[in-house]
Amino acid sequence: MSFYLALKEVWRNKGRFLLIAAVVALITTLVLFIAALAEGLASANREYIEKLNGELLVFQEGTQLSTTASRIGRQRIAELRRVPGVAAVGQVGFSTLKLVPPDGSADINVAFIGVEPGLPGEPPVYAGQQLERDRGNNVIVDEGVVARLGTKVGDTIKLKVTQGTKEEFYDLTVVGLTDRRQYFFQPAIFAPLNTWDKIRPDGNGSGANTELISNIAVVRLQDPSAQAEVAKTIEQTVKDVEVADRRTTWEALPGYAAQQSTLTTQQFFTFFIGVLVVGGFFQIQTLQKVAQIGMLKAIGLSNWTVGWSALIQIFTVNAFGVAIGAVGTLALTSNFPVTVPIMLTGTTALASVLALLAIGPLGGIVSVFVLLRIEPLRALGMAQ
Amino acid sequence: MIALEAINVTKIYGTGTNAVTAVNDVSLSVRRGEFVALVGPSGSGKTTMLAMLAGLLKPTHGQIIIAEKDIGRMSESKRTKFRGQYIGFAFQANNLVPFLNAQENVELLLRLNGKLNRQSRESARNLLERLGLGERLKNRPGQLSGGQQQRVAIARALIHEPEVVLADEPTASLDTERAHQVVQTFAELIHEQNRAGIMVTHDLRMCKYTDRVIQMMDGRINRIIADRREILRLAGAADELDGHVVPVNGKPVLAGDPLADVRGI
């Protein structure tokens, strides 16, 4: 009976319910877009760190997990490799420089990341081959570069670096392509650490007589579940370092937390507006139906039937709106170019959709209570 | 056979100095196949009485027996279920579900009682056709006139074969011709189907279709007219007055008023 009444009313008043479903669809689009933007921005910020093939990141002590402020030398690396539980340690250096497109268009800022071939920090390639120590002019580029330049394995890319006041250009050969590994909103190019050290701005030149210094070290553990214990051991046995896992590291990235909290607040308020809009609609509808509900109760429909009918209706209309909004947003986001920081992952979409499905029942709960409290006599004008 | 019995029923609203006795120690019974009119001026207690007979209101004292059950002692949820099974209703207005068509409105009670099948659907259709709505089965209330809506409500009140059929001012929003049509059909069906019917009305002309007229005054039964000639005389006199009651200083007064005894002047 509840289903019959709920769905019949929706079907016979398609225009009215379609209108509220459209509002829910718009709210869904907005919530999912903000979620996708939050995910896209977060991902653009942390992608490389998140996908690292090592559990722990080691920073210079007192640098507050800043990848640019931290300096880790070979001495520390050697000490780290001796810590029990550590399987492998790779040095990683970060810098930003310009990629010169071959078609003469504007230079592209890229994250130029120095890694040790075969060690943690080097990304896996899906095409071509990994880096080799003795082939210094080889690089791996991520999909961000591929999307912008259409780079293929074997291509040569040109990097522009400002050393002091002088511009220098370097031609490097692409030996491998890796998936999206953006770092700090920039597409990434990975070079052997020596090459990176030679090319990066204010680098150590040939590095022949100086210690090769990276920004951080990435540590892969023998047993990934022993993260906390090994981290503690490292901090106790290796001097002047601090250790963090990947999540802690990306959460400490400049602006990351502030940006994410802003977007989460926006999402929350959009969600809240949704609850109010849906609640308002169903409340008005309930108030318009007082006499009708009173009559239904008078002829024998229980509170249970009337209440369920309202909830089914609210849920159906809301779910329809959410479905339209979600499908529309998915279709839209999948067609955005890779350069736009919009990313809707399955988990984010599912979490948002589940929250949005709760909008209806949350918003409609007041109207359901109003329905339950309608007295047939009063509603039919028979009360004294 | 008695279908409905009210025994020493009293309804008091409020408490202490604010207490108002709307119905005062009223007893009445209605047999199967009998159609009774409950009349009386505003405030006489007839609507309160009807609400109690319908199980919409609990009496303060007394018993209301329908199908051998005292509905005054039932819980709210049991009374609601009881209403769906044993009582049929036609109200003054807001009778129908606006998003259901005429046939669906009638079938609502069958659906509620789990009796909707091909045969009962056919019965609903036949009943509506009998009420002159054969061409209007698929029309929604908004597409029906006031009289047609009331006829659908009557069909709905009867379709689930209730013990008692109650109507509260079913002709209030109808013109004279429609009012006569509606009440006449209502009476015919009550008699044919052997139901017990009670109709609260202000329009004394409608009494001619009933078997008994119970007049209430100040919460009590003032007079019962069971004689057919008396009922027709009453309705006929009301017809001459075009059904109108002329209130003067709060009381209906008319020189040589043949209804004076019924009105309790």
Side-chain angles (χ1 to χ4, degrees):
Chain A
M1 187 59 142
S2 300
F3 272 98
Y4 172 76
L5 285 175
L7 302 182
K8 214 42 162 189
E9 184 172 14
V10 173
W11 185 247
R12 293 274 164 83
N13 295 288
K14 289 189 278 287
R16 196 198 319 160
F17 285 100
L18 207 59
L19 193 68
I20 187 65
V23 173
V24 172
L26 286 174
I27 289 166
T28 303
T29 307
L30 197 56
V31 168
L32 286 178
F33 249 97
I34 296 172
L37 184 65
E39 186 65 24
L41 288 172
S43 188
N45 220 340
R46 71 179 188 218
E47 213 162 43
Y48 172 64
I49 305 279
E50 192 177 18
K51 292 179 177 176
L52 271 174
N53 50 351
E55 291 79 21
L56 296 174
L57 290 91
V58 181
F59 295 80
Q60 183 182 355
E61 192 172 32
T63 55
Q64 293 169 322
L65 308 185
S66 164
T67 50
T68 47
S70 169
R71 298 285 185 273
I72 298 284
R74 300 297 293 181
Q75 176 72 29
R76 294 279 172 276
I77 300 296
E79 288 173 31
L80 283 169
R81 283 179 180 144
R82 286 197 292 271
V83 173
V86 171
V89 181
Q91 280 186 284
V92 177
F94 300 93
S95 58
T96 297
L97 40 76
K98 304 273 189 191
L99 173 63
V100 183
D103 61 2
S105 56
D107 296 347
I108 301 163
N109 281 324
V110 290
F112 186 54
I113 301 172
V115 295
E116 291 189 276
L119 290 175
E122 185 194 12
V125 296
Y126 67 80
Q129 59 187 48
Q130 298 295 135
L131 297 171
E132 288 178 32
R133 280 178 190 277
D134 57 349
R135 299 179 73 176
N137 66 335
N138 290 349
V139 290
I140 292 172
V141 299
D142 87 332
E143 273 187 352
V145 175
V146 175
R148 285 168 175 83
L149 297 186
T151 313
K152 298 184 295 295
V153 173
D155 286 359
T156 300
I157 56 169
K158 189 185 283 292
L159 295 178
K160 184 169 86 179
V161 189
T162 308
Q163 298 283 14
T165 56
K166 209 174 93 185
E167 281 186 346
E168 289 178 2
F169 292 90
Y170 295 90
D171 288 328
L172 299 164
T173 307
V174 176
V175 295
L177 306 179
T178 186
D179 59 354
R180 280 166 63 120
R181 301 261 164 175
Q182 296 177 88
Y183 178 70
F184 224 69
F185 305 104
Q186 295 161 336
I189 295 175
F190 301 90
L193 197 64
N194 279 315
T195 310
W196 169 79
D197 196 47
K198 195 173 81 178
I199 295 175
R200 72 185 171 106
D202 301 323
N204 291 329
S206 67
N209 299 319
T210 53
E211 186 185 13
L212 188 57
I213 293 172
S214 63
N215 292 112
I216 62 166
V218 179
V219 176
R220 188 163 62 232
L221 305 177
Q222 288 164 355
D223 174 14
S225 64
Q227 228 177 76
E229 293 86 341
V230 178
K232 203 172 168 190
T233 314
I234 290 172
E235 286 183 335
Q236 282 169 351
T237 55
V238 182
K239 268 195 279 181
D240 302 330
V241 295
E242 52 188 320
V243 184
D245 59 17
R246 292 195 298 260
R247 173 174 288 277
T248 314
T249 304
W250 80 60
E251 282 174 352
L253 288 169
Y256 181 89
Q259 180 194 72
Q260 289 300 303
S261 65
T262 306
L263 290 166
T264 308
T265 309
Q266 279 181 30
Q267 255 184 302
F268 174 78
F269 274 104
T270 314
F271 179 82
F272 185 63
I273 290 166
V275 171
L276 287 183
V277 169
V278 174
F281 172 82
F282 282 103
Q283 181 65 6
I284 290 167
Q285 189 178 255
T286 299
L287 293 176
Q288 286 174 339
K289 292 199 302 189
V290 168
Q292 179 196 314
I293 300 298
M295 180 272 294
L296 286 172
K297 287 186 181 182
I299 64 172
L301 267 74
S302 64
N303 260 340
W304 176 262
T305 307
V306 171
W308 262 117
S309 176
L311 271 178
I312 289 165
Q313 198 172 76
I314 291 166
F315 187 81
T316 307
V317 173
N318 188 59
F320 184 62
V322 170
I324 295 173
V327 169
T329 313
L330 283 172
L332 267 175
T333 51
S334 60
N335 286 316
F336 272 115
V338 71
T339 46
V340 179
I342 292 279
M343 182 189 276
L344 204 54
T345 62
T347 322
T348 313
L350 189 69
S352 300
V353 164
L354 286 177
L356 286 159
L357 285 177
I359 278 184
L362 274 177
I365 199 91
V366 177
S367 59
V368 172
F369 275 113
V370 170
L371 279 177
L372 296 180
R373 293 184 63 174
I374 290 173
E375 289 177 28
L377 272 183
R378 214 169 279 282
L380 292 165
M382 291 170 74
Q384 292 293 311
Chain B
M1 185 183 173
I2 302 293
L4 175 153
E5 194 170 14
I7 306 165
N8 304 119
V9 171
T10 298
K11 181 67 191 178
I12 302 169
Y13 290 108
T15 51
T17 51
N18 294 324
V20 176
T21 305
V23 172
N24 193 356
D25 198 25
V26 168
S27 295
L28 61 87
S29 61
V30 183
R31 295 185 307 279
R32 279 194 177 167
E34 187 184 23
F35 188 26
V36 173
L38 204 55
V39 300
S42 294
S44 61
K46 59 187 189 302
T47 300
T48 300
M49 190 66 205
L50 189 80
M52 288 192 287
L53 296 175
L56 290 168
L57 198 60
K58 270 191 172 188
T60 310
H61 305 295
Q63 290 177 292
I64 292 166
I65 314 287
I66 298 172
E68 297 174 359
K69 293 184 181 74
D70 183 357
I71 60 172
R73 289 180 188 275
M74 288 180 185
S75 66
E76 179 62 44
S77 59
K78 276 192 177 166
R79 266 190 295 141
T80 303
K81 196 174 178 190
F82 187 88
R83 286 200 297 271
Q85 288 175 331
Y86 294 96
I87 300 173
F89 284 99
F91 303 104
Q92 195 170 339
N94 300 309
N95 257 312
L96 305 176
V97 182
F99 54 85
L100 298 180
N101 64 35
Q103 188 166 351
E104 289 162 345
N105 261 293
V106 175
E107 288 170 357
L108 199 62
L109 267 293
L110 295 170
R111 198 178 283 276
L112 180 68
N113 289 306
K115 289 179 181 171
L116 188 64
N117 51 42
R118 186 183 289 183
Q119 198 184 340
S120 63
R121 274 204 167 112
E122 188 63 34
S123 305
R125 210 164 24 245
N126 290 341
L127 188 54
L128 283 166
E129 279 168 5
R130 165 80 195 278
L131 286 159
L133 295 164
E135 304 294 315
R136 298 288 194 168
L137 298 178
K138 301 297 173 197
N139 285 121
R140 282 190 251 169
Q143 299 163 315
L144 299 173
S145 69
Q148 288 168 332
Q149 287 185 35
Q150 281 300 28
R151 278 183 275 165
V152 175
I154 286 168
R156 193 193 58 201
L158 289 159
I159 192 65
H160 59 304
E161 301 177 350
E163 198 82 3
V164 178
V165 186
L166 305 171
D168 179 31
E169 304 279 7
T171 60
S173 55
L174 305 180
D175 60 43
T176 307
E177 194 185 337
R178 300 275 176 224
H180 278 283
Q181 276 178 6
V182 165
V183 179
Q184 187 177 9
T185 317
F186 194 25
E188 283 170 12
L189 288 167
I190 282 169
H191 292 137
E192 274 174 31
Q193 297 187 4
N194 207 28
R195 312 276 165 235
I198 298 181
M199 170 179 68
V200 163
T201 184
H202 269 104
D203 191 344
L204 298 176
R205 292 170 301 177
M206 299 303 136
C207 292
K208 72 175 177 185
Y209 302 107
T210 65
D211 306 304
R212 199 152 43 114
V213 177
I214 299 175
Q215 188 217 19
M216 289 189 72
M217 183 71 70
D218 299 329
R220 290 176 181 275
I221 290 180
N222 191 52
R223 190 178 173 191
I224 298 174
I225 307 170
D227 183 76
R228 189 76 203 140
R229 281 174 306 176
E230 279 287 294
I231 293 172
L232 290 175
R233 189 180 73 83
L234 167 72
D239 208 18
E240 281 176 24
L241 295 168
D242 205 19
H244 291 303
V245 175
V246 185
V248 175
N249 297 328
K251 284 193 170 184
V253 176
L254 203 69
D257 184 358
L259 309 178
D261 53 348
V262 175
R263 291 179 183 153
I265 297 168

